[in-house]
Amino acid sequence: MEIITRQQKMASVAKKLRRENRVLGFVPTMGALHEGHLSLIQKARQMTDEVIVSIFVNPTQFNEGTDFEAYPRDLTADAEILSPFDVDYIYAPDSSEVYGDEYSTFVTVDDIADKLEGSSRPGHFRGVATIVTILFNTIRPDFAFFGQKDAQQVAVIRRLVRDLRFDTEIIVLPIVREDSGLARSSRNERLSAADRKSAAVIFRALSAANEMAMDGERSAGNITDKVREVIETEPSGSIDYIALVNKESLDPIEKIGKEPALLAVAVRFGDIRLIDNIVLNEEE
Ligand code: PAF
């Protein structure tokens, strides 16, 4: 496993590998690696010849400077976590390497980036779309791997890839959960022990909604009411939003039809805002 910190070196290594007809798999991360990331890396290992993991805490996707500064950074620990996974390259540039002097080009995915997370985190997806564009242009991967946990990020990136004609196939892997059902996230580490336990209510609520849908319930109102009722059994949780939307456009839906419907929630426990989702009506 080689650690590359320079953009030019990463680009030339990737170019050489492509010339040798190696299939490139790319897993973009911000470090603080957990089981969710590892499931992406394992899939990349199965599907591709060369696995490249980027570790870069992207300043342009943070709304508040304090969040950016507080984000955990430990390249040595992350590299150690990756060592059993047969990763070929870690790309860990610093900020000046990615956003050089007078950086001024940003990528905006209209409409879907403004919904759900976009309204509480303005500019977040502009930062995500910009860094993903820069990384894809550096590496030009054949496949890039993302987690369904960040369902809106997936919708934004799919749209970005489609609209800007990136020659990269996006592979999305299921949410990895703790034993309690809580979706794995680097934020879980910052929950108090009590809140971490209470936050399992989110998955109980999503599961109750899924059962309702499987039993034939079609009304978004009834389903989201149920989710609210279950989450409210935990007084320490404060609901930011509960939304039932089209999985691709993220437009709200009133009745579940034939298309898969994304049930997405954001709930705060103390200072920590957690997101989670489940896709209803999806064929396996
Ligand atoms: O999901 C993340 O960790 C980040 O948003 C990503 C895709 C690595 C871009 O910084």
Side-chain angles (χ1 to χ4, degrees):
M1 182 168 70
E2 186 182 346
I3 300 182
I4 297 177
T5 56
R6 307 307 298 264
Q7 193 269 338
Q8 274 198 341
K9 171 89 191 289
M10 186 68 254
S12 69
V13 166
K15 191 170 177 184
K16 178 171 173 288
L17 294 169
R18 279 196 312 277
R19 285 218 180 109
E20 292 165 355
N21 289 326
R22 307 289 287 165
V23 176
L24 303 194
F26 176 44
V27 183
T29 81
M30 298 208 299
L33 301 175
H34 53 69
E35 304 271 335
H37 298 112
L38 298 177
S39 76
L40 307 181
I41 290 159
Q42 279 169 316
K43 190 68 179 180
R45 188 66 284 164
Q46 284 165 14
M47 285 182 61
T48 67
D49 299 325
E50 304 285 338
V51 176
I52 304 167
V53 176
S54 66
I55 297 183
F56 177 64
V57 183
N58 173 35
T60 62
Q61 72 188 74
F62 286 82
N63 304 96
E64 286 169 32
T66 45
D67 273 359
F68 171 65
E69 273 138 37
Y71 202 87
R73 293 167 175 83
D74 190 341
L75 182 56
T76 314
D78 284 334
E80 212 156 282
I81 291 172
L82 290 180
S83 62
F85 289 89
D86 204 12
V87 166
D88 297 288
Y89 300 93
I90 296 179
Y91 177 43
D94 69 24
S95 196
S96 59
E97 193 67 22
V98 176
Y99 298 109
D101 280 350
E102 297 180 15
Y103 187 89
S104 58
T105 304
F106 291 89
V107 181
T108 307
V109 178
D110 275 352
D111 193 36
I112 51 174
D114 302 327
K115 299 168 176 164
L116 305 177
E117 288 301 289
S119 47
S120 33
R121 304 173 73 189
H124 169 70
F125 289 113
R126 173 184 186 257
V128 170
T130 301
I131 188 62
V132 169
T133 300
I134 296 170
L135 293 169
F136 279 13
N137 279 333
T138 300
I139 295 167
R140 299 181 181 251
D142 297 287
F143 296 93
F145 298 80
F146 293 87
Q148 174 61 20
K149 154 97 175 12
D150 295 308
Q152 187 170 7
Q153 172 167 282
V154 166
V156 167
I157 289 167
R158 281 197 191 285
R159 190 67 67 90
L160 169 79
V161 164
R162 189 199 72 181
D163 290 352
L164 298 188
R165 274 77 168 167
F166 280 107
D167 196 9
T168 295
E169 191 175 323
I170 303 302
I171 307 290
V172 180
L173 290 164
I175 298 176
V176 179
R177 298 185 179 279
E178 299 186 355
D179 289 345
S180 69
L182 179 63
R184 297 251 179 213
S185 161
S186 45
R187 291 175 185 216
N188 297 357
E189 306 305 321
R190 289 158 53 204
L191 290 166
S192 69
D195 281 347
R196 194 160 179 163
K197 210 164 157 218
S198 305
V201 75
I202 299 174
F203 184 58
R204 289 203 295 280
L206 294 176
S207 305
N210 192 34
E211 260 174 48
M212 277 174 89
M214 293 208 311
D215 288 346
E217 179 61 69
R218 289 289 164 261
S219 152
N222 292 346
I223 288 176
T224 53
D225 282 352
K226 180 68 180 176
V227 174
R228 183 172 301 280
E229 183 193 309
V230 177
I231 294 177
E232 283 179 350
T233 60
E234 275 298 345
S236 52
S238 147
I239 297 169
D240 196 344
Y241 63 74
I242 301 170
L244 192 62
V245 297
N246 177 285
K247 191 182 161 199
E248 270 157 41
S249 66
L250 305 184
D251 286 335
I253 50 182
E254 280 176 17
K255 278 214 168 337
I256 302 179
K258 290 204 167 74
E259 308 274 293
L262 177 76
L263 177 60
V265 302
V267 185
R268 278 180 196 281
F269 286 85
D271 290 344
I272 311 300
R273 188 167 172 283
L274 299 174
I275 58 169
D276 201 346
N277 67 80
I278 196 164
V279 181
L280 308 179
N281 210 24
E282 186 159 60
E283 281 177 21
E284 289 300 311

